[in-house]
Amino acid sequence: MIRFILIIAFVTCFLIASIPIFLAEWPIGKRWPYARDISSLRIVQWALKVIAWLAGTRLTVLGEEHVPKDTPVLYICNHRSYFDIILTYARCPRPTGYVAKKEMLKIPLLSRWMKFLHCQFLDRSDLRAGLKMILSCVELIKGGVSITIFPEGTRGKGSSELEMLPFHEGSFKVAAKSGCPIIPVAICGSSAIFEDHKPYVRRQDVTIEYGAPIYPEQLSREDQKALGKYTQDVIREMLCGLLQER
């Protein structure tokens, strides 16, 4: 319980202390938007690394050399924990927006940081809004910002890491329309930090593996039509390998 309390206290203090940073970042963003993007990214990454340290997370990262440094990408990840966001965002080498549920807009200060970081907010009950969000993601990628999507739509709660909800095919239109590579990301062990024993936060070994880029136009027509299933199969195979090594 102590770890949980420390994390909540740190997040609260960080959000309050960040108010002056908002005021400083605003004029910077008007004149030098990329500089604002990078400074916001590094500030938030520092905070997320502190949270991971407070949680006692021991992180192993594999395949990071697969992530292009000179072009935006679409990260596709399996999802079992809130810590998936904390751990993966701290690794992003360039400005990256995450797709989040629209309810996050109700959280003061945090939602402001998310907007600074180009996060997109999805109303899962509105198909038209979902299409608009996809087009916004395409424009961001064309402008040099990577996008991260958890295509299961919510956290998986199965007893096995290999149990994933079906990947929503609509998530992959971002890559199809922008021409960017897809980076499959397998996250193993994250639910044992918090979700498996709420409200306790426990020390846990977590592994993140980045797979080789997937270029949709290089796939067969059949795989292009079922890009979500294809990518999910890749991530499942990566998870199988990680579980065998444990």
Side-chain angles (χ1 to χ4, degrees):
M1 183 62 82
I2 292 177
R3 292 183 189 277
F4 179 78
I5 293 172
L6 287 174
I7 290 171
I8 294 300
F10 172 76
V11 170
T12 302
C13 291
F14 171 78
L15 291 176
I16 294 173
S18 69
I19 295 175
I21 299 177
F22 287 138
L23 299 177
E25 293 275 64
W26 194 269
I28 293 174
K30 292 292 185 182
R31 187 164 185 179
W32 301 288
Y34 186 75
R36 197 280 306 278
D37 285 351
I38 291 296
S39 64
S40 296
L41 174 67
R42 301 308 177 211
I43 290 168
V44 171
Q45 286 182 323
W46 170 81
L48 296 179
K49 288 175 181 178
V50 172
I51 293 172
W53 177 77
L54 290 173
T57 305
R58 296 179 293 253
L59 182 64
T60 299
V61 180
L62 305 173
E64 208 162 21
E65 68 276 4
H66 290 142
V67 181
K69 303 299 188 293
D70 58 349
T71 186
V73 302
L74 173 64
Y75 295 100
I76 294 292
C77 317
N78 64 307
H79 191 27
R80 290 177 61 86
S81 172
Y82 294 119
F83 276 84
D84 295 338
I85 300 164
I86 293 169
L87 298 175
T88 57
Y89 197 81
R91 310 296 307 182
C92 295
R94 61 186 299 120
T96 303
Y98 275 49
V99 173
K101 56 186 179 181
K102 70 169 186 176
E103 288 78 8
M104 298 297 294
L105 288 167
K106 300 176 182 179
I107 304 176
L109 297 180
L110 177 59
S111 59
R112 175 55 58 186
W113 271 115
M114 293 177 73
K115 289 179 179 179
F116 263 26
L117 298 169
H118 301 292
C119 290
Q120 301 297 299
F121 301 92
L122 175 63
D123 183 350
R124 288 174 287 191
S125 64
D126 188 337
L127 293 177
R128 183 174 295 181
L131 178 59
K132 184 177 179 180
M133 186 274 298
I134 288 172
L135 295 176
S136 295
C137 288
V138 171
E139 290 305 311
L140 284 172
I141 287 178
K142 290 180 177 179
V145 177
S146 293
I147 295 294
T148 298
I149 296 179
F150 298 96
E152 293 170 86
T154 187
R155 289 178 291 110
K157 300 176 176 64
S159 58
S160 169
E161 298 273 359
L162 300 178
E163 293 182 43
M164 290 181 279
L165 298 169
F167 280 14
H168 294 292
E169 293 290 341
S171 304
F172 295 84
K173 291 180 180 179
V174 175
K177 291 180 178 295
S178 68
C180 74
I182 296 170
I183 301 296
V185 184
I187 307 168
C188 185
S190 59
S191 64
I193 301 174
F194 179 62
E195 280 75 12
D196 290 350
H197 38 69
K198 295 178 183 178
Y200 301 100
V201 174
R202 293 179 178 169
R203 186 184 297 270
Q204 174 66 22
D205 293 316
V206 177
T207 303
I208 298 175
E209 182 176 4
Y210 295 87
I214 297 171
Y215 295 91
E217 69 276 8
Q218 297 178 4
L219 301 177
S220 67
R221 182 167 297 181
E222 181 180 350
D223 287 334
Q224 288 182 34
K225 289 181 178 178
L227 191 51
K229 182 181 182 304
Y230 178 88
T231 307
Q232 187 172 44
D233 288 343
V234 171
I235 292 176
R236 183 176 286 109
E237 184 176 349
M238 293 162 64
L239 287 170
C240 283
L242 294 178
L243 290 171
Q244 288 175 1
E245 293 176 3
R246 289 197 161 207

